[in-house]
Amino acid sequence: MFLLCLLLLLLVSVSSSLNLPPSYKISDQHIDIATSAMEYISNSPSPNHAVQNGINMLQDQQFIKLDERKPWPNLQPGGKYYFEREAPLGSSLVAFTVGKKYRSESCFKILGAHTDSPNLRVKPKSRRTASDLTMLNVETYGGGLWHTWFDRDLSLAGKVMVRRSGGRLEHKLVDLKKSILRIPNLAIHLQTPTEREAFKVNKEDHLQPILAGYISKALTGDNNVTKWTEGHEPLILNSLASYLGCTVNEIVDFELHLYDTLGCKFNGMGEEFITGSRLDNLMGCFVCLRSLLNHGSVGLDSDYDVSLVALFDHEEVGSSSTTGAGSTIIEESVKRISMSLKGEDEPKDYLEAKIRNSFVVSFDMAHAEHPNYSSKHEKYHCPKLNSGVVIKTNDNQRYATNGQTGYIFREVGRRCGQDIQEFVVRNDCACGSTIGPIISSRTGMRCVDVGTPQLSMHSIREMGGTKDVKMAVDVLEGFLREFRDIDDEMKGEEE
Ligand SMILES: [Zn+2]
């Protein structure tokens, strides 16, 4: 009887698995790598956390730390290195490996992504009260879908500077984790029909979160506090001080971000979706780092070139900063790495030639087709979740892809056994942009803009495909492995 039941169960499970559509077939490998990505994203509530968690991944594989503010040691073929800009606890990161066959004609294979996401940040004077409640004074960062921030359990994370007795300055990462803040919706009964219809958020008036059910006692100069300390909410300063084991007066400045305490989750009947904050673009940061780590452990013996990952801050606000894609990060990296590896017989213009031979894959999230708004998509170019990496093209140069760079990436996909999806925005819709055009116009390097598809971009909880994580890592690792061969083939055709 037991055997009969077992047989029946087996038959039922085989037949039901045969009926599953392809997008439901999520392998253990897909789940494993998606789980790692979700942990990375959930544990990175600020760009500074995203960089530090990235460094932890690199240090696990013996990448050597460099300091931008000091002369570098001689880099070695076969070596693996990283540095952060504005260390310690910076918000942008560069990691690279040098192929063991490095030589004067070698180029740079660059993967770029960004560490920032739209969010709410604590203002330089955070103390604020309303209706006998303690609020927190916050500033909007980037173009968030702000209505999604209402009625969430929010917390605070970021970096804090502490001056210890004796004058020593320390930089500390903080993540309070506890749900301490909430931005409440206005009840439907208190809105006129017109207000309900045109639900509009005033970014200054409506997005201030409640912190406490009473008005906190202000810190004043009588307690030996500075003007800066006086402007801040004492409840927050006290929480930070107890988290860091210091006094309130030892805290001299901070960068604090609000975030949703609900981390990433699997979703869908077959766990085929991932939901969570900051998929745009911490998913990009994760897949770029992971593919460099994979390449660094198996691909350096036969590699002639430098494989480099650059994670920039400030993409959501235009990239013009010391840590953004509009900064000198790529130029200086290429120059310093090349100088350090320079042989004695290098021609005078070797650096310019290197730049012309180099290639950037700018990885940022792409728009998947929305089932309830499919008319918003150009129907011949609308990517699907769980169907792999997307090339983004815009001839008006909102994306840097062109015929040559698109072909190279598609050829990488072909060699990895993957179909690459294509995205073009409708002609009657404004197109987003990303770091690709900024890097290529600043450096003169060839570039393709790609990403994995997602829904709800810039919501506090976005949605992506589980399978897309592994597919992206595989194709980016494939780029680091295959680029030299594909590019040589292409140059042969030109001659
Ligand atoms: Zn993005």
Side-chain angles (χ1 to χ4, degrees), residues 68-88:
E68 267 201 303
R69 292 164 300 191
K70 292 180 181 159
W72 285 357
N74 278 340
L75 307 179
Q76 299 297 328
K80 305 190 249 189
Y81 307 90
Y82 75 90
F83 65 86
E84 49 180 316
R85 178 153 284 193
E86 294 190 353

Side-chain angles (χ1 to χ4, degrees), residues 13-14 35 67 90-91 100 118 159 178 184 218 288 358 364 385 390 413:
S13 72
V14 167
T35 304
D67 186 341
S91 57
K100 287 189 182 166
K159 74 169 179 179
K178 218 172 130 186
C288 289
S358 296
D364 200 355
L385 293 173
V390 180

